[in-house]
Amino acid sequence: MAMHSPPPDGIDRRPPGGVAIAITAEGLAKSFGTASAVVGIDLKVHPGELLALLGPSGSGKTTFLRLVAGLETPTAGRILFDNEDATRLTVGERRVGFVFQHYALFRHLNVAENIAYGLRARPRRLRPPDAEIRRRVADLLDLVQLSGLGKRYPTQLSGGQRQRVALARALAVEPRVLLLDEPFGALDAKVRRDLRRWLREVHDRTGHTTLFVTHDQEEALELADRVAIFNRGRIEQVGSADEILDRPATPFVASFVGEAVCLSVEGTGDTIRIGSHEVPSQGQKIVGPAELYVRPRDLVLADGAAGGIAARVVAVRRTGPARRAELTFADALPPVEIELPLGHPVAKGNVVPVRFTTLRVFPSGQDGGVT
Protein backbone atom coordinates (compact mmCIF):
# COMPACT_ATOMS: atom_id res chain seq x y z
CA MET A 1 0.00 0.00 0.00
CA ALA A 2 1.35 3.43 -0.86
CA MET A 3 2.14 6.07 1.75
CA HIS A 4 -0.64 8.58 2.28
CA SER A 5 -0.17 12.31 2.28
CA PRO A 6 -1.29 15.70 3.48
CA PRO A 7 -3.40 16.25 6.56
CA PRO A 8 -6.89 16.92 5.17
CA ASP A 9 -7.31 20.23 7.02
CA GLY A 10 -3.70 21.41 6.69
CA ILE A 11 -3.47 22.13 10.44
CA ASP A 12 -0.18 21.50 12.24
CA ARG A 13 -1.44 20.83 15.77
CA ARG A 14 1.05 21.13 18.60
CA PRO A 15 0.28 19.41 21.91
CA PRO A 16 1.33 20.90 25.26
CA GLY A 17 4.93 20.04 26.08
CA GLY A 18 6.07 19.27 22.56
CA VAL A 19 5.48 19.14 18.84
CA ALA A 20 2.96 16.76 17.28
CA ILE A 21 4.83 13.92 15.60
CA ALA A 22 4.29 11.73 12.59
CA ILE A 23 4.07 7.94 12.94
CA THR A 24 5.33 5.80 10.07
CA ALA A 25 5.03 2.05 9.67
CA GLU A 26 7.39 0.51 7.12
CA GLY A 27 6.81 -3.11 6.11
CA LEU A 28 5.43 -3.83 9.56
CA ALA A 29 4.58 -7.49 10.25
CA LYS A 30 3.79 -9.54 13.32
CA SER A 31 3.26 -13.30 13.58
CA PHE A 32 2.29 -15.43 16.55
CA GLY A 33 3.66 -18.86 15.70
CA THR A 34 2.31 -19.67 12.24
CA ALA A 35 -0.52 -17.11 12.47
CA SER A 36 0.07 -13.73 10.84
CA ALA A 37 -1.64 -10.92 12.77
CA VAL A 38 -0.16 -8.01 10.78
CA VAL A 39 1.16 -8.45 7.24
CA GLY A 40 3.58 -5.95 5.68
CA ILE A 41 1.81 -2.69 6.59
CA ASP A 42 3.05 0.64 5.23
CA LEU A 43 1.24 3.61 6.78
CA LYS A 44 1.92 7.28 7.48
CA VAL A 45 0.00 9.04 10.27
CA HIS A 46 0.26 12.82 10.00
CA PRO A 47 1.38 15.02 12.91
CA GLY A 48 -1.60 15.94 15.06
CA GLU A 49 -3.95 13.63 13.16
CA LEU A 50 -6.67 11.46 14.70
CA LEU A 51 -6.64 8.22 12.69
CA ALA A 52 -9.27 5.55 13.35
CA LEU A 53 -8.40 1.88 12.86
CA LEU A 54 -11.60 0.11 11.78
CA GLY A 55 -12.16 -3.54 10.94
CA PRO A 56 -13.72 -6.81 12.08
CA SER A 57 -12.46 -8.77 15.07
CA GLY A 58 -9.12 -10.41 14.35
CA SER A 59 -8.22 -8.02 11.53
CA GLY A 60 -5.01 -6.78 13.20
CA LYS A 61 -6.10 -3.40 14.60
CA THR A 62 -5.13 -3.94 18.23
CA THR A 63 -1.93 -5.78 17.31
CA PHE A 64 -0.92 -2.80 15.18
CA LEU A 65 -1.66 -0.47 18.10
CA ARG A 66 0.42 -2.60 20.46
CA LEU A 67 3.31 -2.57 17.96
CA VAL A 68 3.20 1.24 17.90
CA ALA A 69 3.14 1.29 21.72
CA GLY A 70 6.05 -1.14 22.02
CA LEU A 71 3.94 -3.76 23.81
CA GLU A 72 4.69 -6.18 20.95
CA THR A 73 7.90 -6.65 18.97
CA PRO A 74 7.51 -6.78 15.18
CA THR A 75 8.49 -9.88 13.25
CA ALA A 76 9.58 -7.59 10.41
CA GLY A 77 9.59 -3.90 9.54
CA ARG A 78 9.83 -0.88 11.81
CA ILE A 79 8.00 2.03 13.41
CA LEU A 80 9.25 5.61 13.08
CA PHE A 81 8.32 8.54 15.30
CA ASP A 82 9.14 11.42 12.96
CA ASN A 83 12.55 10.29 11.66
CA GLU A 84 13.50 8.33 14.78
CA ASP A 85 13.40 4.53 14.62
CA ALA A 86 11.17 3.69 17.59
CA THR A 87 11.32 -0.07 17.05
CA ARG A 88 14.17 -0.52 19.53
CA LEU A 89 12.79 1.88 22.13
CA THR A 90 11.06 0.65 25.27
CA VAL A 91 7.47 1.56 26.07
CA GLY A 92 8.70 4.25 28.45
CA GLU A 93 11.13 5.69 25.94
CA ARG A 94 8.40 5.94 23.30
CA ARG A 95 6.28 8.13 25.62
CA VAL A 96 2.89 6.88 24.53
CA GLY A 97 -0.38 7.43 26.37
CA PHE A 98 -2.60 4.33 26.28
CA VAL A 99 -6.34 4.30 27.05
CA PHE A 100 -8.06 0.91 27.28
CA GLN A 101 -11.69 -0.15 26.99
CA HIS A 102 -12.00 -1.07 30.67
CA TYR A 103 -10.35 2.05 32.14
CA ALA A 104 -7.67 0.17 34.17
CA LEU A 105 -7.98 2.71 36.99
CA PHE A 106 -6.59 1.99 40.47
CA ARG A 107 -9.59 1.50 42.74
CA HIS A 108 -7.65 2.37 45.90
CA LEU A 109 -6.58 5.75 44.49
CA ASN A 110 -8.88 8.72 44.11
CA VAL A 111 -9.34 10.52 40.78
CA ALA A 112 -6.53 13.02 41.32
CA GLU A 113 -4.11 10.29 42.46
CA ASN A 114 -5.00 8.14 39.43
CA ILE A 115 -4.24 11.03 37.07
CA ALA A 116 -0.97 11.81 38.87
CA TYR A 117 0.18 8.18 39.04
CA GLY A 118 2.39 8.18 35.93
CA LEU A 119 4.15 11.35 37.06
CA ARG A 120 4.74 10.17 40.64
CA ALA A 121 6.01 6.78 39.39
CA ARG A 122 8.90 8.40 37.52
CA PRO A 123 12.45 8.18 38.88
CA ARG A 124 13.15 11.03 41.29
CA ARG A 125 15.38 12.90 38.86
CA LEU A 126 12.59 12.94 36.23
CA ARG A 127 9.67 13.53 38.59
CA PRO A 128 8.11 17.01 38.53
CA PRO A 129 7.82 18.89 41.84
CA ASP A 130 4.65 18.18 43.83
CA ALA A 131 3.30 21.67 43.11
CA GLU A 132 3.72 21.09 39.36
CA ILE A 133 1.98 17.70 39.59
CA ARG A 134 -0.95 19.26 41.45
CA ARG A 135 -1.19 22.05 38.85
CA ARG A 136 -1.12 19.57 35.97
CA VAL A 137 -3.78 17.38 37.58
CA ALA A 138 -6.03 20.41 38.15
CA ASP A 139 -5.61 21.50 34.52
CA LEU A 140 -6.46 18.02 33.29
CA LEU A 141 -9.52 17.74 35.53
CA ASP A 142 -10.73 20.96 33.95
CA LEU A 143 -9.91 19.69 30.44
CA VAL A 144 -11.92 16.48 30.90
CA GLN A 145 -14.76 18.37 32.61
CA LEU A 146 -14.32 16.71 36.03
CA SER A 147 -13.29 19.74 38.09
CA GLY A 148 -14.25 19.25 41.72
CA LEU A 149 -14.25 15.44 41.51
CA GLY A 150 -10.56 14.88 42.25
CA LYS A 151 -11.21 13.36 45.69
CA ARG A 152 -13.77 10.82 44.48
CA TYR A 153 -12.87 7.18 43.88
CA PRO A 154 -13.49 5.28 40.61
CA THR A 155 -16.41 3.36 42.13
CA GLN A 156 -18.16 6.69 42.77
CA LEU A 157 -18.06 7.65 39.07
CA SER A 158 -20.14 6.72 36.05
CA GLY A 159 -18.58 4.73 33.22
CA GLY A 160 -18.23 7.85 31.10
CA GLN A 161 -16.55 9.74 33.94
CA ARG A 162 -14.12 6.87 34.56
CA GLN A 163 -13.13 6.88 30.89
CA ARG A 164 -12.46 10.63 31.12
CA VAL A 165 -10.18 9.96 34.10
CA ALA A 166 -8.36 7.29 32.07
CA LEU A 167 -7.78 9.80 29.26
CA ALA A 168 -6.59 12.46 31.71
CA ARG A 169 -4.12 9.97 33.20
CA ALA A 170 -2.78 9.19 29.72
CA LEU A 171 -2.39 12.91 28.97
CA ALA A 172 -0.70 13.70 32.30
CA VAL A 173 2.65 12.27 31.20
CA GLU A 174 2.65 14.55 28.11
CA PRO A 175 2.79 11.67 25.63
CA ARG A 176 4.20 12.01 22.16
CA VAL A 177 1.48 9.67 20.89
CA LEU A 178 -2.00 8.88 22.21
CA LEU A 179 -3.36 5.36 21.64
CA LEU A 180 -7.02 4.48 22.30
CA ASP A 181 -8.12 0.84 22.19
CA GLU A 182 -11.94 0.61 22.03
CA PRO A 183 -12.18 3.28 24.73
CA PHE A 184 -15.98 3.50 24.60
CA GLY A 185 -16.73 -0.17 24.02
CA ALA A 186 -18.10 -0.80 27.53
CA LEU A 187 -20.48 2.19 27.48
CA ASP A 188 -24.07 2.50 26.30
CA ALA A 189 -24.94 4.12 22.96
CA LYS A 190 -25.93 7.57 24.25
CA VAL A 191 -22.83 7.91 26.45
CA ARG A 192 -20.68 6.79 23.51
CA ARG A 193 -22.15 9.50 21.28
CA ASP A 194 -21.59 12.18 23.91
CA LEU A 195 -18.04 11.05 24.65
CA ARG A 196 -16.90 10.84 21.06
CA ARG A 197 -17.96 14.45 20.44
CA TRP A 198 -16.12 15.40 23.62
CA LEU A 199 -13.03 13.41 22.59
CA ARG A 200 -12.92 15.21 19.24
CA GLU A 201 -12.99 18.56 21.07
CA VAL A 202 -10.21 17.44 23.44
CA HIS A 203 -8.12 16.22 20.51
CA ASP A 204 -8.48 19.54 18.69
CA ARG A 205 -7.41 21.40 21.85
CA THR A 206 -4.40 19.21 22.70
CA GLY A 207 -3.18 18.30 19.20
CA HIS A 208 -1.76 14.86 19.98
CA THR A 209 -1.12 12.42 17.17
CA THR A 210 -3.78 9.83 17.99
CA LEU A 211 -4.61 6.27 16.91
CA PHE A 212 -8.11 5.09 17.79
CA VAL A 213 -9.21 1.43 17.50
CA THR A 214 -12.95 0.82 17.14
CA HIS A 215 -15.46 -1.70 15.79
CA ASP A 216 -18.09 1.05 15.49
CA GLN A 217 -18.30 2.37 11.92
CA GLU A 218 -20.32 5.45 12.84
CA GLU A 219 -17.83 6.27 15.57
CA ALA A 220 -14.84 5.99 13.23
CA LEU A 221 -16.39 7.94 10.37
CA GLU A 222 -17.70 10.75 12.60
CA LEU A 223 -14.69 11.14 14.87
CA ALA A 224 -11.53 10.65 12.80
CA ASP A 225 -9.65 12.82 10.33
CA ARG A 226 -9.04 9.64 8.33
CA VAL A 227 -9.96 5.98 8.69
CA ALA A 228 -7.75 2.93 8.02
CA ILE A 229 -9.79 -0.16 7.11
CA PHE A 230 -8.13 -3.36 8.38
CA ASN A 231 -8.80 -6.87 7.04
CA ARG A 232 -6.80 -10.07 7.57
CA GLY A 233 -3.79 -8.20 8.95
CA ARG A 234 -3.61 -5.77 6.03
CA ILE A 235 -4.90 -2.27 5.37
CA GLU A 236 -7.44 -2.22 2.56
CA GLN A 237 -7.86 1.55 2.33
CA VAL A 238 -6.97 4.76 4.16
CA GLY A 239 -9.03 7.86 3.56
CA SER A 240 -11.54 10.39 4.79
CA ALA A 241 -15.09 9.35 5.61
CA ASP A 242 -16.21 10.60 2.19
CA GLU A 243 -13.51 8.60 0.41
CA ILE A 244 -14.27 5.41 2.34
CA LEU A 245 -18.03 5.67 1.81
CA ASP A 246 -18.16 7.07 -1.72
CA ARG A 247 -15.05 5.58 -3.32
CA PRO A 248 -14.31 2.18 -1.72
CA ALA A 249 -11.03 0.83 -3.07
CA THR A 250 -11.84 -2.88 -2.72
CA PRO A 251 -14.85 -5.21 -2.52
CA PHE A 252 -14.14 -5.69 1.18
CA VAL A 253 -14.40 -1.97 1.94
CA ALA A 254 -17.57 -1.72 -0.16
CA SER A 255 -19.16 -4.61 1.73
CA PHE A 256 -17.89 -3.81 5.23
CA VAL A 257 -18.73 -0.12 5.47
CA GLY A 258 -22.23 1.26 5.14
CA GLU A 259 -24.84 -1.55 5.22
CA ALA A 260 -24.11 -2.76 1.71
CA VAL A 261 -25.80 -5.76 0.06
CA CYS A 262 -23.87 -7.62 -2.63
CA LEU A 263 -25.69 -8.53 -5.87
CA SER A 264 -24.23 -10.83 -8.53
CA VAL A 265 -24.53 -8.95 -11.81
CA GLU A 266 -23.12 -9.00 -15.35
CA GLY A 267 -21.11 -6.23 -16.95
CA THR A 268 -21.43 -5.59 -20.69
CA GLY A 269 -19.07 -2.64 -20.93
CA ASP A 270 -21.64 0.16 -21.15
CA THR A 271 -24.32 -1.41 -18.95
CA ILE A 272 -24.74 -3.53 -15.84
CA ARG A 273 -27.31 -6.33 -16.03
CA ILE A 274 -29.24 -6.84 -12.77
CA GLY A 275 -31.51 -9.84 -13.16
CA SER A 276 -33.48 -9.07 -16.34
CA HIS A 277 -32.81 -5.32 -16.08
CA GLU A 278 -29.98 -3.22 -17.49
CA VAL A 279 -28.71 0.09 -16.15
CA PRO A 280 -25.97 2.39 -17.50
CA SER A 281 -22.59 1.48 -16.09
CA GLN A 282 -21.78 5.09 -15.08
CA GLY A 283 -18.46 4.89 -16.92
CA GLN A 284 -17.27 1.61 -15.37
CA LYS A 285 -16.17 -0.59 -18.29
CA ILE A 286 -16.69 -4.00 -16.70
CA VAL A 287 -17.28 -7.04 -18.88
CA GLY A 288 -18.38 -10.37 -17.44
CA PRO A 289 -19.48 -11.50 -13.96
CA ALA A 290 -19.30 -8.76 -11.36
CA GLU A 291 -20.44 -7.81 -7.85
CA LEU A 292 -22.61 -4.76 -7.21
CA TYR A 293 -22.60 -3.36 -3.66
CA VAL A 294 -25.85 -1.52 -2.87
CA ARG A 295 -26.49 0.75 0.11
CA PRO A 296 -29.92 2.22 0.96
CA ARG A 297 -28.97 5.69 -0.29
CA ASP A 298 -27.75 4.34 -3.64
CA LEU A 299 -31.39 3.96 -4.74
CA VAL A 300 -34.19 6.51 -5.16
CA LEU A 301 -37.77 6.15 -6.28
CA ALA A 302 -38.11 6.98 -9.97
CA ASP A 303 -41.81 7.90 -10.05
CA GLY A 304 -42.42 9.77 -13.30
CA ALA A 305 -38.70 9.79 -14.21
CA ALA A 306 -37.06 8.13 -17.19
CA GLY A 307 -34.65 5.26 -16.68
CA GLY A 308 -36.38 3.61 -13.74
CA ILE A 309 -36.32 -0.18 -13.34
CA ALA A 310 -39.02 -2.24 -11.67
CA ALA A 311 -38.48 -3.72 -8.20
CA ARG A 312 -40.91 -5.61 -5.99
CA VAL A 313 -41.42 -4.50 -2.37
CA VAL A 314 -40.95 -7.45 -0.01
CA ALA A 315 -41.08 -5.54 3.30
CA VAL A 316 -41.58 -2.03 4.71
CA ARG A 317 -40.41 -0.92 8.15
CA ARG A 318 -39.86 2.18 10.22
CA THR A 319 -36.32 2.82 11.54
CA GLY A 320 -36.41 5.82 13.85
CA PRO A 321 -37.20 8.96 11.83
CA ALA A 322 -36.99 7.14 8.47
CA ARG A 323 -38.92 4.47 6.59
CA ARG A 324 -37.21 1.79 4.55
CA ALA A 325 -38.45 -0.72 2.02
CA GLU A 326 -36.79 -3.98 1.04
CA LEU A 327 -36.83 -4.46 -2.70
CA THR A 328 -35.92 -7.34 -4.97
CA PHE A 329 -35.03 -7.17 -8.65
CA ALA A 330 -35.24 -10.93 -9.27
CA ASP A 331 -36.06 -14.05 -7.26
CA ALA A 332 -32.43 -15.21 -7.36
CA LEU A 333 -31.08 -11.95 -5.94
CA PRO A 334 -31.13 -10.91 -2.27
CA PRO A 335 -33.30 -7.90 -1.34
CA VAL A 336 -31.79 -4.43 -1.08
CA GLU A 337 -33.02 -1.45 0.93
CA ILE A 338 -34.19 2.00 -0.09
CA GLU A 339 -35.04 4.96 2.13
CA LEU A 340 -38.59 6.25 1.60
CA PRO A 341 -40.21 9.63 2.13
CA LEU A 342 -42.31 9.34 5.31
CA GLY A 343 -45.61 9.92 3.53
CA HIS A 344 -44.96 7.73 0.49
CA PRO A 345 -47.70 5.07 0.09
CA VAL A 346 -45.55 1.96 -0.49
CA ALA A 347 -46.74 -1.43 0.75
CA LYS A 348 -45.53 -5.00 0.66
CA GLY A 349 -46.21 -6.56 -2.77
CA ASN A 350 -46.10 -3.27 -4.71
CA VAL A 351 -43.91 -2.96 -7.79
CA VAL A 352 -42.11 0.39 -7.84
CA PRO A 353 -39.73 2.03 -10.32
CA VAL A 354 -36.31 2.89 -8.87
CA ARG A 355 -33.03 4.18 -10.22
CA PHE A 356 -29.42 3.96 -9.05
CA THR A 357 -27.69 7.18 -8.03
CA THR A 358 -24.41 5.32 -7.45
CA LEU A 359 -22.97 2.03 -8.73
CA ARG A 360 -20.14 0.31 -6.85
CA VAL A 361 -19.13 -2.55 -9.11
CA PHE A 362 -16.09 -4.86 -8.93
CA PRO A 363 -15.22 -7.79 -11.22
CA SER A 364 -16.09 -11.12 -9.56
CA GLY A 365 -13.16 -12.80 -7.87
CA GLN A 366 -11.24 -9.56 -7.33
CA ASP A 367 -9.11 -9.94 -4.19
CA GLY A 368 -9.99 -7.16 -1.80
CA GLY A 369 -7.54 -8.36 0.84
CA VAL A 370 -4.38 -6.74 -0.51
CA THR A 371 -3.84 -3.06 -1.22
Side-chain angles (χ1 to χ4, degrees), residues 42-224:
D42 294 319
L43 177 67
K44 178 68 172 281
V45 185
H46 305 302
E49 180 177 31
L50 196 163
L51 179 74
L53 312 182
L54 176 65
S57 297
S59 59
K61 309 182 299 298
T62 293
T63 299
F64 179 79
L65 205 70
R66 290 175 63 84
L67 287 165
V68 174
L71 299 173
E72 300 286 354
T73 302
T75 307
R78 62 178 185 162
I79 293 282
L80 302 178
F81 286 179
D82 284 337
N83 295 318
E84 178 186 13
D85 187 348
T87 310
R88 296 177 179 83
L89 299 180
T90 66
V91 176
E93 291 168 337
R94 295 189 194 198
R95 285 178 51 203
V96 299
F98 215 126
V99 180
F100 300 92
Q101 176 176 344
H102 294 292
Y103 326 125
L105 300 179
F106 298 109
R107 293 188 177 187
H108 66 290
L109 300 180
N110 65 29
V111 166
E113 291 165 342
N114 263 285
I115 295 172
Y117 180 82
L119 297 172
R120 296 194 185 282
R122 286 178 174 174
R124 184 174 297 275
R125 62 186 177 83
L126 299 176
R127 189 184 311 155
D130 285 347
E132 170 62 18
I133 292 176
R134 288 194 297 272
R135 183 199 63 79
R136 197 176 300 180
V137 168
D139 288 347
L140 286 166
L141 283 169
D142 182 59
L143 177 69
V144 301
Q145 300 173 358
L146 293 177
S147 295
L149 301 184
K151 293 185 178 180
R152 291 194 184 181
Y153 286 83
T155 55
Q156 298 174 300
L157 303 178
S158 68
Q161 289 173 326
R162 276 179 271 176
Q163 197 55 282
R164 291 175 190 235
V165 175
L167 179 61
R169 184 178 60 183
L171 293 173
V173 296
E174 296 183 337
R176 302 171 72 192
V177 177
L178 188 60
L179 306 176
L180 311 174
D181 190 7
E182 293 277 4
F184 308 144
L187 304 173
D188 65 46
K190 183 182 185 306
V191 175
R192 287 173 72 106
R193 287 193 298 271
D194 292 342
L195 278 184
R196 68 187 182 220
R197 286 192 293 268
W198 166 81
L199 178 62
R200 181 71 236 192
E201 292 171 2
V202 170
H203 176 267
D204 290 343
R205 289 175 62 183
T206 62
H208 289 85
T209 306
T210 302
L211 297 182
F212 179 94
V213 166
T214 180
H215 287 87
D216 187 319
Q217 295 184 19
E218 181 181 335
E219 192 164 87
L221 296 169
E222 176 185 325
L223 186 59

Side-chain angles (χ1 to χ4, degrees), residues 223-283:
L223 186 59
D225 297 311
R226 292 187 302 157
V227 180
I229 305 295
F230 276 66
N231 182 36
R232 295 180 292 172
R234 296 178 170 88
I235 294 179
E236 299 261 350
Q237 185 175 357
V238 181
S240 67
D242 287 341
E243 290 167 337
I244 296 294
L245 286 168
D246 299 337
R247 296 181 294 281
T250 69
F252 175 81
V253 177
S255 63
F256 180 70
V257 181
E259 303 179 86
V261 173
C262 179
L263 302 181
S264 296
V265 298
E266 189 81 15
T268 65
D270 294 322
T271 65
I272 301 296
R273 186 176 295 116
I274 306 170
S276 60
H277 309 287
E278 286 193 357
V279 297
S281 65
Q282 299 182 358

Side-chain angles (χ1 to χ4, degrees), residues 296 299-301 323-327 336-340 354:
L299 289 169
V300 294
L301 294 173
R323 289 174 72 229
R324 287 188 178 184
E326 289 188 7
L327 311 174
V336 298
E337 291 192 343
I338 183 174
E339 294 189 355
L340 299 171
V354 298

Side-chain angles (χ1 to χ4, degrees), residues 13-30:
R13 301 184 179 92
R14 298 173 184 271
V19 178
I21 68 165
I23 303 169
T24 306
E26 295 180 345
L28 197 67
K30 176 63 179 179

